[in-house]
Amino acid sequence: MTGIDPDRFRDTFETYSDIGRTDNDGLHRLTLSEADIRVREQLVGDLESVGVDVRIDEIGNIFGRREGTDPDAAPVLIGSHLDSQPYGGRFDGQLGVLCALETLRAFDEHDVEHRRPIELVNWTNEEGSRFKPALMGSGTFVGEFSVEETLARTDADGTTVKEALESAGYRGDAECGPREPIHSYLELHVEQGPILEEHGQSVAVVDGIYGMSWLEATIEGTSDHAGPSPMHSRRDALVAATDVVQGIRRLSNRYDDVVTTVGELTVEPGSINVIPSEVTFTADVRSYDDAIVAELAERVESELEAACAREGTEYELEELWRIEHTEFAKSVRTAACEAAEESGVSYRSMVGGAGHDANYLTEVTDAGMLFVPSVDGRTHNEDEFTEWEDVVAGANTFAETTRRLSQ
Ligand SMILES: [Zn+2]
């Protein structure tokens, strides 16, 4: 067994939570802000104190490597991200990095032998709040974005990632990308949904992540005066659009495990006494089954067609983005299930709805994830919370999974 030290882990969690803590006990720690620089310094110091080799790459991803007994074996990568959303929570991302740190400390303390090297990683700019896009550090690492492209990204003030890294002292020497084959990647994260809490369970072994499609629809009607225009002559773009919004909501009733959302809607000309001539809105549809995602996108179009026929309006539909589902590696899922059983933790398997660094890592290695519960399913705000006993159950499962992967 690899037993973590719950008291030490809690002290560490509080120390890190103080760096960028908000008045309401949340966390405000945007990428390469003053708080993010301080937490990076804390991490580097803590890694050095467990005697691991620290390496920082050219986009600021931080690695700490504990050698195994076989210097030629491919390493196991463990970690997450220390940046937060604006006025976000203390658990999203940070918990994953600190589970990895506590794992290294527990292995040190108990002289846990492992054949493979184990590398902790803190990915730069997972949240995408200061610099777009999200998942920047892991995306660049796997080659989804080039290093030049990433360094040239700017925040709202026009500061580039390169400038921010240089002034923070975190533009490292190491090349960004796998420098050797990687055996596996493991990340613990808060669920950000209600399923574990509803089932009274502490840990989820994540099967994979939903695929999704982002659509944008524009409906064209005719604007006219709200008073003299009789109802029968109207071509009201908003009336057609609201029918479609309702239809998109009802689509989720036709399938198991599908989520559909209309999150943006603009009305033109947007005046109290004018019939709307143009409405643009988005749809976000997700499922673990890629064929169902394709079907949902088609059904959104059928809804548009029917609503526009009723109202005498025209439409255009564009798919902005489509991403297939991610399936995590069986080897990692099996190791995680065995670890949860050995740790005596109540767990389930589930599919995740949101993207994480682990999604990108599937492109270069066998990746997998563990979730711990989010109280009331709340996340990306200061109320984000996980009960400490669930954190400890998750950390023990994480450490034992890491041990199994590193044999
Ligand atoms: Zn996160």
Side-chain angles (χ1 to χ4, degrees):
M1 278 290 290
T2 36
I4 64 131
D5 180 336
D7 293 334
R8 174 177 61 200
F9 188 26
R10 184 151 209 167
D11 284 348
T12 306
F13 184 75
E14 291 304 327
T15 301
Y16 279 68
S17 299
D18 279 341
I19 305 172
R21 195 192 289 266
T22 64
D23 293 344
N24 299 316
D25 222 11
L27 195 63
H28 185 73
R29 205 161 65 200
L30 305 190
T31 298
L32 298 167
S33 62
E34 182 263 342
D36 188 39
I37 295 166
R38 274 198 291 141
V39 82
R40 284 164 174 265
E41 274 155 20
Q42 179 78 37
L43 178 66
V44 169
D46 285 337
L47 287 170
E48 281 166 353
S49 75
V50 255
V52 303
D53 279 334
V54 176
R55 179 173 95 246
I56 298 166
D57 76 15
E58 55 199 319
I59 64 157
N61 293 322
I62 299 173
F63 299 85
R65 182 182 179 105
R66 181 183 152 96
E67 289 299 342
T69 53
D70 179 355
D72 299 324
V76 176
L77 209 53
I78 57 174
S80 192
H81 61 95
L82 286 173
D83 66 320
S84 83
Q85 287 281 329
Y87 300 93
R90 291 171 292 144
F91 294 84
D92 177 350
Q94 165 162 283
L95 194 60
V97 175
L98 298 183
C99 269
L101 176 62
E102 178 56 33
T103 295
L104 293 179
R105 285 175 167 169
F107 283 18
D108 206 35
E109 183 179 58
H110 302 307
D111 287 322
V112 173
E113 264 211 3
H114 47 91
R115 187 169 77 80
R116 302 181 175 284
I118 299 171
E119 279 197 5
L120 175 149
V121 57
N122 169 45
W123 300 111
T124 295
N125 191 38
E126 190 273 348
E127 297 289 2
S129 302
R130 180 175 174 194
F131 299 101
K132 302 236 166 341
L135 307 175
M136 182 183 275
S138 53
T140 311
F141 183 80
V142 304
E144 188 74 20
F145 322 116
S146 73
V147 172
E148 297 69 45
E149 201 179 357
T150 293
L151 291 173
R153 305 264 188 197
T154 52
D155 65 7
D157 300 328
T159 305
T160 63
V161 169
K162 184 176 175 215
E163 287 161 351
L165 284 167
E166 279 169 355
S167 71
Y170 278 91
R171 175 128 197 253
D173 300 331
E175 216 173 282
C176 179
R179 50 180 194 169
E180 63 196 322
I182 298 166
H183 172 263
S184 48
Y185 174 74
L186 181 67
E187 177 170 1
L188 178 142
H189 204 277
V190 285
E191 181 198 334
Q192 306 181 294
I195 308 288
L196 281 171
E197 188 180 42
E198 278 169 16
H199 289 85
Q201 289 174 308
S202 298
V203 171
V205 174
V206 186
D207 288 330
I209 306 288
Y210 280 155
M212 68 175 111
S213 168
W214 282 0
L215 303 154
E216 186 178 80
T218 304
I219 297 181
E220 298 281 351
T222 309
S223 65
D224 217 331
H225 196 296
S229 309
M231 297 308 288
H232 70 265
S233 68
R234 296 187 179 199
R235 297 171 63 240
D236 185 325
L238 183 56
V239 168
T242 50
D243 274 359
V244 181
V245 172
Q246 295 293 331
I248 290 172
R249 173 63 180 263
R250 282 192 300 269
L251 281 182
S252 63
N253 300 334
R254 305 172 77 123
Y255 305 88
D256 288 335
D257 232 12
V258 152
V259 287
T260 60
T261 307
V262 174
E264 288 178 29
L265 187 144
T266 54
V267 181
E268 300 291 341
S271 173
I272 190 167
N273 58 356
V274 179
I275 298 163
S277 57
E278 185 180 299
V279 174
T280 302
F281 61 97
T282 58
D284 169 316
V285 298
R286 305 185 188 208
S287 164
Y288 195 53
D289 184 333
D290 297 331
I292 290 180
V293 171
E295 216 173 292
L296 288 167
E298 279 165 27
R299 287 187 189 273
V300 169
E301 173 136 37
S302 314
E303 293 286 341
L304 271 164
E305 223 174 274
C308 286
R310 284 193 293 274
E311 191 64 19
T313 49
E314 315 266 304
Y315 73 88
E316 268 175 45
L317 180 65
E318 192 190 346
E319 184 166 56
L320 303 174
W321 192 47
R322 167 101 56 115
I323 184 165
E324 292 184 352
H325 80 286
T326 300
E327 186 177 358
F328 288 134
K330 185 128 201 308
S331 56
V332 179
R333 286 187 281 145
T334 304
C337 290
E338 289 169 359
E341 268 154 39
E342 176 153 345
S343 310
V345 167
S346 165
Y347 75 100
R348 66 187 292 107
S349 297
M350 66 176 282
V351 170
H356 297 287
D357 292 310
N359 294 42
Y360 274 145
L361 268 293
T362 59
E363 293 177 21
V364 295
T365 187
D366 283 355
M369 290 191 82
L370 296 172
F371 284 163
V372 291
S374 298
V375 171
D376 296 330
R378 302 201 62 194
T379 188
H380 283 188
N381 59 56
E382 295 170 302
D383 296 333
E384 190 180 274
F385 189 70
T386 302
E387 299 289 350
W388 194 251
E389 60 184 30
D390 292 328
V391 169
V392 170
N396 274 318
T397 307
F398 183 88
E400 178 58 22
T401 308
T402 303
R403 190 190 68 77
R404 285 166 182 268
L405 292 171
S406 63
Q407 294 312 301

